[in-house]
Amino acid sequence: MNLGGDRRTTYRLAMTALVVVLVAVVIAAIITGAAGMSPGQSLRALFALLRRGAGATGDFPAWAPRLLLDLRLPRIALAIVTGAALSTAGASFQGTFRNPLAEPYLLGVSAGAALGATVAIVWKPLGSLGIYTLPILAFVGAMIAAFLVYRLATFGGRTQSASLLLSGVAVGSTLTAILSFLMVTTERDLHTVVVWLMGGLTSATWTKVYITLPVVAVGFIYMMFLAKRMNLLLMGEERARELGVDSQRTRRNLMIAASLVTAAAVAFTGLIGFVGLMVPHIMRLIVGPDHRRLLPASALFGALLLLLADTVARTVLAPAEIPVGIITAAAGGPFFLYLLRRRGGA
Amino acid sequence: MGTAGHQGPVYDVRGLTVDLGARRVLESVDLQIPAGRFLGILGPNGSGKTTLLRALAGTVKPVAGEALLFGKPTHTYRAAELARVVGVVPQQFSLEFSFTVSEMVAMGRYAHSGADHDETAVTAALADTGLGDLADRAVTQLSGGERQRALIAQTLAQETPVLLLDEPLNNLDLNHQLEVMQLLGRLHAAGRTVVVVLHDLNIAAQYCEHLVLVDRGRVAAQGTAAEMLDPKVILEVFRVRVAVHRQGARPYITPLWTKAREATPETEALNVHVMAGGGAASELLEELVLHGFTPSVGVVSVFDTDYVTAQRYELDVLSAPPFQPFPADAVAQMEDLAAHSDAVVVAPVFFSTGNIDLLRVALESARRGRTVVFVDAGSIAERDLTDGRAAELVGQALQAGAIAVPGSREAADVLRRIADDRPR
């Protein structure tokens, strides 16, 4: 079996396929929805919008270009950015912790971000920062949670996979308890918090995309810059050091980058679980474990998967919506069990 | 590389002291490793040899002293800088992700990032470790031995002038063990400095020119392989009795498998002389050595099996030319040795006019009140080729207080009791 040569070919094929399918899903997401417009009308409205702007008219309802521009397109963009963010963060956490089960959601990082976001919603501190308060607090929460989990799972310089997951669960539930306490102490903002926690792209706006995208893009570029080192870290901190990697610094920087990207995504979309677990895992089976290929492939597949899930979320019960977090969790839970069983059997 | 203009040894370790947690693992170790040396580090489990190697690799920080590599303390090197000078093969590694062997080996090129030369270095490393055919196999599908070789290949890809290996033969079959040692020999011959922690003294002595024996965090002994394979040194460091065979170009040892009690100060203080010959004493000598005695032997002819046995245990032997009566000076030395011995043991030797002096000296010792033990005295009539003269001497000795025992084991027991009962 010639894995080396196969993997280069597989990678090119997979990337091409992912781009093609992503474009197809984007088009599908544009033309489906609860607005009572036919796919044909939606498409015509899209082309009119692209050529002549939001004021264009034609063989479609007059409000159609505005609807696409203000509702569907930012939602699609945010789904793509968030999906890519969660997946690449998941891949980085798995690389940093040398554990294929590591994921922002399981590691308590999402819970930290959620607590930060809840604090922002309920207490409204740092009022002068306006719309940035929530992402900043979500980021701080994610970082604190990540370092707590990491420190608690490290004994004498070694981080064991099992203790990592356990401390992730422990820190996660402690933070969730604090979060729940905050929720019962507030009546006014309870609904906002609950909707945020369920995870969804319902309230997507271009502003949110503009805030999230640069953070995710910079985080992704930085992860790619560290991809080779991440490969070496998979052999353990000490071995990576012997091969010339400044392991501790690389690991710390990767954690910061992955937490940052997670926080940026989670800040606006709430808790969307399991994307960061499933996507890198499936991609690893296809393109192999090399992060230089795994990260781009995961970004594309994560974007595709979350967009698909969100499109399903807003169409199956239309005009009602299912929070997309429910769909990813419904698919991810069984997938996680499958991984556990498979690892146990191997 | 920073190594070019350096004069003096590759490593200069001075007063190196390392703690792991609250435990002192290395205690003021001094060690110099000149360029181009092939050095083996040996020692019992937990002696600190792995920690010494890690200190050389810059992975542990000393609490006192320092390990200077080309004049600069190892723990002050930047990771990438160090990885261009020193390649480390750790005792174990884990890689649960399915990289191919060549991808894994290519990771060894990290510190040299991005030269055209990368591919040649990887190919050469794969070829050197015999992994050429497995280059595209997933690491997760390799056997233990193949993984070990992949790890060595990864380190070779670093192309460092210094190689440190921590028990690289673990998990390897005998043929792969030899292949790895031969590979290290070739790398050494090509000018690299090789430091390898081993636990097999024989393999170490076959391949390494110098050995360092580490015991309880200190350097117990260091020198050439021939010097280090000394029963006394090995007993001291490994607390194992061994026989050394020096027939070939390189010495080798065989352990003395034993259920006997360990040597005690009492047994070591008891001077025992054995009357040997014709291979009759070989079993007896082995038994006595196992019980912690270091008897002198003789007189025996240099062609005698007993002579070879005594040599193997590095005992003092009085020898004589073959096929003739013992020369007078050898007999005189034997009389002297016997006179200074606490006990004389007579093996069931065939006696002729050539070696009858053995019995005469034994009888004298018995008459002086020394302990004299005859092994299998009952068969003396069958072993007497002197028309009854030998049997008569044995009879007289027994009358003078000599002890007769049926076999070697019982002879050792008698000596053991004497040794234990002796006033200090």
Side-chain angles (χ1 to χ4, degrees), chain A residues 1-5 7 94-95 98-100 158 161 228-229 231-232 234-236 238-247 284 287-291 293 343, chain B residues 54 58-59 74-75 77 79-80 82-83 86 88-90 93-100 103-104 107-108 110-111 113-114 136-138 141 151 154-155 158:
Chain A
M1 187 171 56
N2 183 351
L3 262 180
R7 273 182 180 164
Q94 287 161 23
R98 304 170 65 198
N99 186 337
R158 288 177 186 278
S161 293
K228 207 172 170 184
R229 279 171 245 190
N231 290 344
L232 273 77
L234 290 178
M235 300 195 67
E238 186 162 329
R239 183 62 184 154
R241 204 191 128 76
E242 287 164 0
L243 295 174
V245 176
D246 187 346
S247 301
R284 206 174 279 120
V287 303
D290 189 330
H291 287 94
R293 292 175 191 152
R343 275 170 63 83
Chain B
R54 281 164 49 113
T59 17
T74 51
H75 62 275
Y77 275 78
L82 194 60
V86 178
V88 184
V89 176
F93 78 102
S94 69
L95 188 57
E96 288 175 36
F97 297 85
S98 62
F99 285 95
T100 65
E103 282 173 337
M104 174 182 158
M107 290 181 188
Y110 173 79
S113 54
D136 290 317
R137 182 84 63 84
Q141 292 171 350
L151 184 65
Q154 189 182 48
T155 309
Q158 286 176 256

Coordinates of all heavy atoms in Angstrom, one line a residue, chain A residues 1-5 7 94-95 98-100 158 161 228-229 231-232 234-236 238-247 284 287-291 293 343, chain B residues 54 58-59 74-75 77 79-80 82-83 86 88-90 93-100 103-104 107-108 110-111 113-114 136-138 141 151 154-155 158:
Chain A
M1 N 0.8 -1.2 0.0 CA 0.0 0.0 0.0 C 0.9 1.3 0.0 O 1.6 1.5 0.9 CB -0.9 0.0 1.2 CG -1.9 1.1 1.2 SD -3.1 0.9 2.6 CE -2.1 0.8 4.0
N2 N 0.8 2.0 -1.0 CA 1.6 3.2 -1.1 C 0.9 4.4 -0.6 O 0.2 5.2 -1.3 CB 2.0 3.5 -2.6 CG 2.9 4.6 -2.7 OD1 3.1 5.4 -1.8 ND2 3.4 4.8 -3.9
L3 N 1.0 4.6 0.8 CA 0.2 5.6 1.4 C 0.7 7.0 1.0 O 0.0 7.9 0.8 CB 0.4 5.5 3.0 CG -0.8 4.8 3.7 CD1 -0.5 4.7 5.1 CD2 -2.1 5.5 3.4
G4 N 2.1 7.2 1.0 CA 2.7 8.5 0.7 C 2.2 9.1 -0.6 O 1.6 10.2 -0.6
G5 N 2.3 8.4 -1.7 CA 1.9 8.9 -3.0 C 0.4 9.0 -3.0 O -0.2 10.0 -3.5
R7 N -1.6 9.7 -0.7 CA -2.1 10.8 0.2 C -2.1 12.1 -0.6 O -3.0 12.9 -0.5 CB -1.4 10.9 1.5 CG -2.0 10.0 2.5 CD -1.3 10.1 3.8 NE -1.9 9.2 4.8 CZ -1.3 8.8 5.9 NH1 -0.1 9.3 6.2 NH2 -1.9 8.0 6.7
Q94 N -6.7 18.7 19.1 CA -6.4 17.3 19.1 C -4.9 17.1 18.9 O -4.2 16.2 19.5 CB -7.2 16.6 18.0 CG -8.6 16.4 18.3 CD -9.5 16.2 17.1 OE1 -9.0 15.7 16.1 NE2 -10.8 16.5 17.2
G95 N -4.3 18.0 18.1 CA -2.8 17.9 17.9 C -2.1 18.4 19.1 O -1.1 17.7 19.5
R98 N -2.5 15.7 21.7 CA -2.2 14.4 21.2 C -3.4 13.4 21.5 O -3.2 12.3 21.9 CB -1.0 13.8 21.9 CG 0.2 14.6 21.8 CD 1.3 14.1 22.6 NE 1.7 12.8 22.2 CZ 2.4 12.0 23.0 NH1 2.7 12.3 24.3 NH2 2.8 10.8 22.6
N99 N -4.6 13.9 21.3 CA -5.7 13.1 21.7 C -6.8 13.3 20.7 O -7.3 14.4 20.5 CB -6.2 13.5 23.1 CG -7.3 12.6 23.6 OD1 -8.0 11.9 22.8 ND2 -7.5 12.5 24.9
P100 N -7.2 12.3 19.9 CA -8.2 12.5 18.9 C -9.6 12.8 19.5 O -10.5 13.1 18.7 CB -8.2 11.1 18.1 CG -7.6 10.1 19.1 CD -6.7 10.9 20.0
R158 N 3.6 15.8 32.5 CA 2.9 14.9 31.6 C 1.4 15.1 31.6 O 0.8 15.2 32.6 CB 3.3 13.5 31.9 CG 4.7 13.1 31.6 CD 5.0 11.7 31.9 NE 6.4 11.4 31.8 CZ 6.9 11.1 30.6 NH1 6.2 11.0 29.6 NH2 8.2 10.9 30.5
S161 N -4.2 11.6 28.4 CA -5.4 11.8 27.7 C -6.6 11.7 28.6 O -7.5 12.5 28.6 CB -5.5 10.8 26.6 OG -4.5 11.0 25.6
K228 N 3.5 22.2 11.0 CA 4.6 21.3 11.0 C 5.0 20.9 12.4 O 5.3 19.8 12.7 CB 5.8 21.9 10.2 CG 6.7 20.9 9.6 CD 7.7 21.6 8.7 CE 8.8 20.7 8.2 NZ 9.9 21.4 7.5
R229 N 5.1 22.0 13.2 CA 5.4 21.7 14.6 C 4.3 20.9 15.3 O 4.7 20.1 16.2 CB 5.5 23.1 15.4 CG 6.9 23.7 15.1 CD 7.0 25.1 15.7 NE 7.2 26.0 14.6 CZ 7.4 27.3 14.7 NH1 7.5 27.8 15.9 NH2 7.6 28.1 13.7
N231 N 2.6 18.6 14.0 CA 2.9 17.2 13.6 C 3.9 16.6 14.6 O 3.8 15.5 15.0 CB 3.5 17.1 12.2 CG 2.4 17.4 11.1 OD1 1.3 17.4 11.4 ND2 2.9 17.7 9.9
L232 N 5.0 17.3 14.8 CA 6.0 16.8 15.7 C 5.5 16.6 17.1 O 5.9 15.7 17.8 CB 7.3 17.7 15.7 CG 8.3 17.4 14.5 CD1 7.8 17.9 13.2 CD2 9.6 17.9 14.8
L234 N 2.8 15.6 18.0 CA 2.0 14.4 18.2 C 2.9 13.3 18.7 O 2.4 12.3 19.2 CB 1.5 14.0 16.8 CG 0.4 14.8 16.2 CD1 -0.1 14.3 14.9 CD2 -0.8 14.9 17.2
M235 N 4.2 13.4 18.7 CA 5.1 12.4 19.2 C 5.5 12.7 20.7 O 6.3 12.1 21.3 CB 6.4 12.4 18.4 CG 6.2 12.0 17.0 SD 7.7 11.4 16.1 CE 8.1 9.9 17.0
G236 N 4.8 13.7 21.2 CA 5.1 14.1 22.6 C 6.0 15.3 22.7 O 6.8 15.6 21.8
E238 N 8.5 16.0 24.7 CA 9.9 15.8 24.8 C 10.6 15.4 23.5 O 11.6 15.9 23.1 CB 10.2 14.7 25.9 CG 11.7 14.6 26.1 CD 12.0 13.9 27.4 OE1 11.2 14.0 28.4 OE2 13.0 13.2 27.5
R239 N 9.9 14.5 22.8 CA 10.4 14.1 21.5 C 10.4 15.3 20.5 O 11.4 15.4 19.7 CB 9.5 12.9 20.9 CG 10.0 12.4 19.5 CD 11.4 11.8 19.7 NE 12.0 11.3 18.4 CZ 13.3 11.2 18.3 NH1 14.1 11.6 19.2 NH2 13.8 10.8 17.1
A240 N 9.4 16.1 20.5 CA 9.4 17.2 19.6 C 10.5 18.2 19.9 O 11.2 18.7 19.0 CB 8.0 18.0 19.8
R241 N 10.8 18.3 21.2 CA 12.0 19.1 21.6 C 13.3 18.6 21.1 O 14.1 19.3 20.6 CB 12.0 19.3 23.1 CG 12.7 20.5 23.6 CD 13.0 20.5 25.1 NE 14.4 20.8 25.3 CZ 15.0 22.0 25.2 NH1 14.2 23.1 24.9 NH2 16.2 22.2 25.3
E242 N 13.4 17.2 21.2 CA 14.6 16.6 20.7 C 14.8 16.8 19.2 O 15.9 16.9 18.7 CB 14.6 15.1 21.0 CG 14.8 14.8 22.5 CD 14.3 13.3 22.8 OE1 13.9 12.6 21.9 OE2 14.4 13.0 24.0
L243 N 13.7 17.0 18.5 CA 13.8 17.2 17.1 C 13.9 18.7 16.7 O 13.9 19.0 15.6 CB 12.6 16.6 16.4 CG 12.5 15.0 16.5 CD1 11.2 14.5 15.9 CD2 13.7 14.4 15.8
G244 N 13.9 19.5 17.8 CA 14.1 21.0 17.5 C 13.0 21.9 17.7 O 13.1 23.1 17.4
V245 N 11.8 21.4 18.2 CA 10.7 22.3 18.4 C 10.7 22.8 19.8 O 10.9 22.0 20.8 CB 9.4 21.5 18.2 CG1 8.2 22.4 18.5 CG2 9.3 20.9 16.8
D246 N 10.5 24.1 20.0 CA 10.3 24.7 21.3 C 8.9 24.3 21.8 O 7.9 25.0 21.6 CB 10.4 26.2 21.2 CG 10.5 26.8 22.6 OD1 10.1 26.1 23.6 OD2 10.8 28.0 22.7
S247 N 8.8 23.1 22.3 CA 7.5 22.4 22.6 C 6.6 23.2 23.4 O 5.4 23.4 23.1 CB 7.7 21.1 23.2 OG 8.5 20.3 22.4
R284 N -9.1 13.2 8.9 CA -7.8 12.5 9.1 C -7.9 11.1 8.5 O -6.9 10.6 7.9 CB -7.7 12.3 10.7 CG -6.2 12.1 11.1 CD -6.1 12.1 12.6 NE -6.1 13.5 13.1 CZ -6.9 13.9 14.0 NH1 -7.9 13.1 14.5 NH2 -6.8 15.1 14.5
V287 N -7.5 12.4 4.5 CA -6.2 13.0 4.0 C -5.0 12.7 4.8 O -3.9 13.1 4.5 CB -6.4 14.5 3.9 CG1 -7.5 14.9 2.9 CG2 -6.5 15.2 5.2
G288 N -5.2 11.9 5.9 CA -4.1 11.6 6.8 C -3.9 12.6 7.9 O -4.5 13.6 7.9
P289 N -3.0 12.3 8.8 CA -2.8 13.1 10.0 C -2.0 14.4 9.9 O -1.9 15.2 10.8 CB -2.2 12.2 11.0 CG -1.4 11.3 10.2 CD -2.1 11.1 8.9
D290 N -1.3 14.6 8.7 CA -0.4 15.7 8.6 C -1.2 17.0 8.6 O -2.1 17.3 7.8 CB 0.3 15.6 7.2 CG 1.4 16.7 7.1 OD1 1.2 17.8 7.7 OD2 2.4 16.4 6.4
H291 N -0.9 17.9 9.6 CA -1.8 19.1 9.8 C -1.7 20.1 8.6 O -2.6 20.9 8.5 CB -1.3 19.8 11.1 CG -1.8 19.1 12.3 ND1 -1.0 18.2 13.0 CD2 -3.0 19.1 13.0 CE1 -1.6 17.7 14.0 NE2 -2.8 18.2 14.0
R293 N -2.2 19.3 5.7 CA -3.3 19.0 4.9 C -4.6 18.9 5.7 O -5.7 19.3 5.2 CB -3.1 17.6 4.2 CG -2.0 17.6 3.2 CD -1.7 16.2 2.7 NE -0.5 16.2 1.9 CZ 0.3 15.1 1.8 NH1 -0.1 14.0 2.4 NH2 1.4 15.1 1.1
R343 N -12.0 2.8 19.5 CA -10.7 2.9 20.2 C -10.5 1.9 21.2 O -9.4 1.3 21.4 CB -10.6 4.3 20.9 CG -10.0 5.4 19.9 CD -10.2 6.7 20.6 NE -9.4 6.8 21.8 CZ -8.1 7.1 21.8 NH1 -7.5 7.3 20.7 NH2 -7.4 7.2 22.9
Chain B
R54 N 19.7 11.9 29.4 CA 18.8 13.1 29.2 C 19.5 14.4 29.5 O 19.2 15.4 28.9 CB 17.5 12.9 30.0 CG 16.5 11.9 29.4 CD 15.5 11.4 30.4 NE 14.9 12.6 31.1 CZ 13.7 13.0 31.0 NH1 12.9 12.3 30.2 NH2 13.2 14.0 31.7
G58 N 20.1 17.5 27.1 CA 19.6 18.8 27.4 C 18.1 18.8 27.9 O 17.5 19.9 27.9
T59 N 17.6 17.6 28.1 CA 16.1 17.6 28.5 C 15.9 17.7 30.0 O 14.8 18.0 30.4 CB 15.4 16.3 28.0 OG1 16.4 15.4 27.6 CG2 14.6 16.6 26.8
T74 N 24.3 22.2 28.0 CA 23.2 21.7 27.1 C 21.9 22.3 27.3 O 21.1 22.6 26.4 CB 23.0 20.1 27.3 OG1 22.9 19.9 28.7 CG2 24.2 19.4 26.8
H75 N 21.5 22.6 28.6 CA 20.2 23.1 28.8 C 20.0 24.6 28.5 O 18.9 25.1 28.6 CB 19.8 22.9 30.3 CG 20.6 23.6 31.3 ND1 21.8 23.1 31.8 CD2 20.5 24.8 31.9 CE1 22.4 24.0 32.6 NE2 21.6 25.0 32.7
Y77 N 21.0 25.6 25.3 CA 20.8 25.6 23.9 C 19.4 25.9 23.5 O 18.5 25.5 24.2 CB 21.2 24.3 23.3 CG 22.7 24.0 23.0 CD1 23.5 23.7 24.0 CD2 23.2 24.1 21.7 CE1 24.9 23.5 23.8 CE2 24.5 23.9 21.4 CZ 25.4 23.6 22.5 OH 26.7 23.3 22.2
A79 N 16.2 24.9 21.3 CA 15.8 23.6 20.8 C 16.3 23.2 19.4 O 16.9 22.2 19.2 CB 14.3 23.4 20.9
A80 N 16.1 24.2 18.5 CA 16.4 23.9 17.1 C 18.0 23.8 16.9 O 18.5 22.9 16.2 CB 15.9 24.9 16.2
L82 N 20.1 22.9 19.2 CA 20.6 21.6 19.8 C 20.3 20.4 18.9 O 21.1 19.5 18.7 CB 19.9 21.4 21.2 CG 20.4 20.3 22.1 CD1 21.9 20.6 22.4 CD2 19.6 20.2 23.3
A83 N 19.1 20.5 18.2 CA 18.7 19.4 17.3 C 19.5 19.3 16.1 O 19.5 18.3 15.4 CB 17.2 19.5 17.0
V86 N 22.8 17.4 18.2 CA 22.6 16.1 18.9 C 21.3 15.5 18.5 O 20.3 16.1 18.5 CB 22.5 16.4 20.5 CG1 22.3 15.1 21.2 CG2 23.8 17.1 21.0
V88 N 18.8 12.4 19.4 CA 18.4 11.5 20.5 C 17.5 10.4 20.1 O 16.5 10.7 19.4 CB 17.8 12.4 21.7 CG1 17.5 11.5 22.9 CG2 18.6 13.5 22.0
V89 N 17.8 9.2 20.5 CA 16.8 8.1 20.3 C 16.3 7.7 21.7 O 17.0 7.1 22.5 CB 17.4 6.9 19.6 CG1 16.4 5.7 19.5 CG2 17.9 7.2 18.2
P90 N 15.1 8.2 22.0 CA 14.6 7.9 23.4 C 14.2 6.4 23.5 O 14.1 5.7 22.5 CB 13.3 8.8 23.5 CG 12.9 9.0 22.1 CD 14.1 8.9 21.2
F93 N 8.5 5.8 22.3 CA 7.8 7.0 21.8 C 6.4 6.5 21.5 O 6.1 5.3 21.4 CB 8.5 7.5 20.5 CG 8.2 6.7 19.3 CD1 7.2 7.1 18.3 CD2 8.8 5.5 19.0 CE1 6.9 6.4 17.2 CE2 8.5 4.7 17.9 CZ 7.6 5.2 17.0
S94 N 5.5 7.4 21.4 CA 4.1 7.0 21.0 C 3.7 7.9 19.8 O 4.0 9.1 19.8 CB 3.1 7.2 22.1 OG 3.0 8.6 22.4
L95 N 3.1 7.4 18.8 CA 2.6 8.1 17.7 C 1.3 7.4 17.3 O 1.4 6.4 16.6 CB 3.6 8.2 16.6 CG 3.2 9.1 15.4 CD1 2.9 10.5 15.9 CD2 4.3 9.1 14.3
E96 N 0.2 7.9 17.8 CA -1.1 7.2 17.6 C -1.7 7.6 16.3 O -2.8 7.1 15.9 CB -2.0 7.4 18.8 CG -1.6 6.7 20.0 CD -2.5 7.0 21.2 OE1 -3.7 7.2 21.0 OE2 -1.9 7.1 22.3
F97 N -1.1 8.5 15.6 CA -1.7 9.0 14.4 C -1.0 8.3 13.2 O 0.2 8.1 13.2 CB -1.6 10.5 14.3 CG -2.4 11.2 15.4 CD1 -1.8 11.4 16.7 CD2 -3.7 11.6 15.2 CE1 -2.6 12.0 17.7 CE2 -4.4 12.2 16.2 CZ -3.9 12.4 17.4
S98 N -1.7 8.1 12.1 CA -1.2 7.2 11.1 C -0.3 7.9 10.1 O -0.7 7.9 8.9 CB -2.4 6.4 10.4 OG -3.2 7.4 9.8
F99 N 0.8 8.4 10.5 CA 1.8 8.9 9.6 C 2.4 7.8 8.9 O 2.5 6.7 9.5 CB 2.8 9.8 10.3 CG 2.3 11.1 10.7 CD1 1.9 11.3 12.0 CD2 2.4 12.2 9.9 CE1 1.4 12.6 12.4 CE2 1.9 13.4 10.2 CZ 1.4 13.6 11.5
T100 N 2.9 8.0 7.7 CA 3.7 6.9 7.1 C 5.1 7.0 7.6 O 5.5 8.0 8.3 CB 3.8 7.1 5.5 OG1 4.6 8.3 5.3 CG2 2.5 7.2 4.9
E103 N 7.0 9.9 6.3 CA 6.6 11.1 6.9 C 7.2 11.3 8.3 O 7.6 12.4 8.7 CB 5.1 11.2 7.0 CG 4.4 11.5 5.7 CD 2.8 11.4 5.8 OE1 2.3 10.6 6.6 OE2 2.2 12.0 4.9
M104 N 7.2 10.2 9.0 CA 7.7 10.3 10.4 C 9.2 10.5 10.4 O 9.7 11.4 11.1 CB 7.5 8.9 11.1 CG 8.1 8.9 12.5 SD 7.8 7.3 13.3 CE 9.2 7.3 14.5
M107 N 10.1 14.1 9.7 CA 10.0 15.0 10.9 C 11.4 15.3 11.5 O 11.6 16.3 12.1 CB 9.1 14.4 11.9 CG 7.7 14.4 11.6 SD 6.8 13.7 13.0 CE 5.1 13.5 12.2
G108 N 12.3 14.3 11.3 CA 13.7 14.5 11.8 C 14.4 15.7 11.1 O 15.4 16.2 11.6
Y110 N 13.2 18.6 10.7 CA 12.6 19.9 11.2 C 13.6 21.0 11.4 O 13.5 22.1 10.9 CB 11.7 19.7 12.4 CG 11.2 21.0 13.0 CD1 10.1 21.6 12.4 CD2 11.9 21.6 14.0 CE1 9.7 22.9 12.9 CE2 11.5 22.8 14.5 CZ 10.4 23.5 13.9 OH 9.9 24.7 14.4
A111 N 14.7 20.6 12.2 CA 15.6 21.7 12.6 C 16.4 22.2 11.4 O 17.0 23.3 11.5 CB 16.6 21.1 13.6
S113 N 15.1 23.1 8.5 CA 14.0 23.3 7.7 C 14.3 23.7 6.2 O 15.0 24.7 6.0 CB 13.0 24.3 8.3 OG 13.8 25.5 8.6
G114 N 13.7 23.0 5.3 CA 13.6 23.4 3.9 C 14.9 23.4 3.1 O 15.2 24.4 2.5
D136 N 6.3 3.7 2.9 CA 4.9 4.2 2.7 C 3.9 3.5 3.6 O 2.7 3.6 3.5 CB 4.5 4.0 1.3 CG 5.2 5.0 0.4 OD1 5.3 6.2 0.8 OD2 5.7 4.7 -0.7
R137 N 4.4 2.6 4.6 CA 3.5 1.9 5.5 C 3.2 2.9 6.6 O 4.0 3.8 7.0 CB 4.3 0.7 6.1 CG 3.5 -0.1 7.0 CD 2.6 -1.1 6.3 NE 3.3 -2.1 5.5 CZ 3.9 -3.2 6.1 NH1 3.8 -3.5 7.3 NH2 4.4 -4.1 5.3
A138 N 1.9 2.8 7.2 CA 1.6 3.6 8.3 C 2.3 3.2 9.6 O 2.5 2.0 9.8 CB 0.1 3.5 8.6
Q141 N 0.9 0.7 11.9 CA 0.8 -0.7 11.5 C 2.1 -1.5 11.7 O 2.2 -2.6 11.3 CB 0.3 -0.9 10.1 CG -1.1 -0.4 9.9 CD -1.5 -0.3 8.5 OE1 -0.7 -0.4 7.6 NE2 -2.8 -0.1 8.2
L151 N 12.2 5.0 14.6 CA 12.6 6.1 15.5 C 14.1 6.4 15.3 O 14.5 7.5 15.3 CB 12.4 5.6 17.0 CG 12.6 6.6 18.1 CD1 11.7 7.8 18.0 CD2 12.5 5.9 19.4
Q154 N 14.4 8.3 12.1 CA 14.0 9.7 12.3 C 15.2 10.5 12.9 O 15.5 11.6 12.5 CB 12.8 9.8 13.3 CG 12.2 11.1 13.4 CD 11.1 11.2 14.4 OE1 11.2 10.7 15.5 NE2 9.9 11.7 14.0
T155 N 15.9 9.9 13.8 CA 17.0 10.6 14.5 C 18.2 10.7 13.5 O 18.9 11.8 13.4 CB 17.5 9.8 15.7 OG1 16.3 9.6 16.5 CG2 18.5 10.6 16.5
Q158 N 18.3 13.6 11.2 CA 18.8 14.9 11.7 C 20.3 15.2 11.3 O 20.7 16.3 11.4 CB 18.7 14.9 13.2 CG 17.3 15.1 13.8 CD 17.3 15.0 15.3 OE1 16.9 14.0 15.9 NE2 17.8 16.0 16.0

